Amino acid sequence: EVQLVESGGGLVQPGRSLKLSCAASGFTFSGYNMAWVRQAPKKGLDWVATILYDGSWTYYRDSVKGRFTISRDNAKSTLYLQMDSLMSEDTATYYCATHDNKGYWFPYWGQGTLVTVSS
Amino acid sequence: VQMTQSPSYLAASPGESVSISCKASKRIRNNVAWYQEKPGKANKLLIHSGSTLQSGTPSRFSGSGSGTDFTLTIRSLESEDFAVYYCQQYDEFSFTFGSGTKLEVK
């Protein structure tokens, strides 16, 4: 059974940093492109970043470019999201998700970790 | 690519059929997926490639469309279908989602 378990969320002040982790199991993590998707309170879903299966390529939404870094450790089957210079607009539940091998839809999702950016 | 989803709210009774629409701001071939969101559960992929049912998706769900106009149809609603539904385009980065449709019991 595929499992994606996010951790690392919490309350952080504007301008500070936070690092999210996503522990994957039940599938060959190193064979899949991975992503972070977020959902602000009472809002819809927003894709944040994608990383290729081997970590060789990454892509970000414009509003987080230069502030967020997606990375992975295939030996640990873990996905990361380093978030720097956090802003109140980054307040959201962050979901880890797999891409499919055949396209950029999201077959599997975690249950999310809440990040609140507030002073 | 912007995805304009409608309606944002839908009330229906078990046994009825409903349709949800997504309109893309440019042609995106059939690169659309549909998801179901329920409280306390991981989001569930229902359909990809416009009309291909993900393994495990009940056959009462169907997807159609290509180009700019896409539809998710649920026939003979069951109690477990009342949830929020999102479309997503993956034709080009940045991937974008529709704003969601909340399907409630009438």
Side-chain angles (χ1 to χ4, degrees), chain A residues 97-110:
Chain A
T98 69
H99 282 293
D100 191 84
N101 275 342
K102 297 188 178 74
Y104 286 101
W105 57 88
F106 304 103
Y108 299 105
W109 298 66

Side-chain angles (χ1 to χ4, degrees), chain B residues 1 14 20 22 27 35-37 45 58 61-62 77 80 90:
Chain B
V1 180
I20 298 168
C22 262
R27 293 183 68 83
Y35 302 88
Q36 180 188 68
E37 175 189 270
L45 170 69
F61 289 86
S62 64
L77 281 166
E80 68 230 40
Y90 50 89

Side-chain angles (χ1 to χ4, degrees), chain B residues 17-72:
Chain B
S17 295
V18 296
S19 290
I20 298 168
S21 170
C22 262
K23 189 172 183 67
S25 59
K26 58 183 281 189
R27 293 183 68 83
I28 56 172
R29 297 174 287 180
N30 66 339
N31 291 327
V32 164
W34 292 92
Y35 302 88
Q36 180 188 68
E37 175 189 270
K38 285 185 168 182
K41 289 192 157 188
N43 290 337
K44 182 181 179 183
L45 170 69
L46 299 172
I47 287 168
H48 65 84
S49 307
S51 60
T52 302
L53 262 61
Q54 176 71 354
S55 174
T57 300
S59 58
R60 62 182 180 274
F61 289 86
S62 64
S64 63
S66 185
T68 60
D69 293 299
F70 301 88
T71 303
L72 172 70

Side-chain angles (χ1 to χ4, degrees), chain A:
Chain A
E1 180 196 2
V2 172
Q3 282 206 311
L4 299 169
V5 180
E6 302 93 338
S7 61
L11 175 63
V12 61
Q13 292 179 327
R16 304 298 290 263
S17 299
L18 204 61
K19 187 171 186 176
L20 306 183
S21 300
C22 170
S25 61
F27 67 106
T28 306
F29 179 75
S30 60
Y32 285 81
N33 302 335
M34 296 292 297
W36 290 96
V37 178
R38 69 185 180 185
Q39 185 171 34
K42 309 280 190 196
K43 299 290 186 182
L45 299 166
D46 286 323
W47 166 80
V48 174
T50 286
I51 186 167
L52 221 59
Y53 66 99
D54 60 358
S56 62
W57 183 83
T58 58
Y59 200 90
Y60 302 89
R61 69 180 297 111
D62 285 346
S63 61
V64 308
K65 275 180 193 172
R67 300 189 300 121
F68 289 13
T69 303
I70 188 173
S71 62
R72 64 192 298 160
D73 185 335
N74 284 346
K76 294 182 178 178
S77 295
T78 302
L79 179 71
Y80 302 101
L81 185 67
Q82 175 68 44
M83 303 186 293
D84 299 324
S85 303
L86 281 161
M87 305 186 293
S88 57
E89 305 91 276
D90 298 317
T91 294
T93 297
Y94 284 74
Y95 298 99
C96 164
T98 69
H99 282 293
D100 191 84
N101 275 342
K102 297 188 178 74
Y104 286 101
W105 57 88
F106 304 103
Y108 299 105
W109 298 66
Q111 298 227 15
T113 186
L114 177 63
V115 173
T116 304
V117 184
S118 174
S119 54

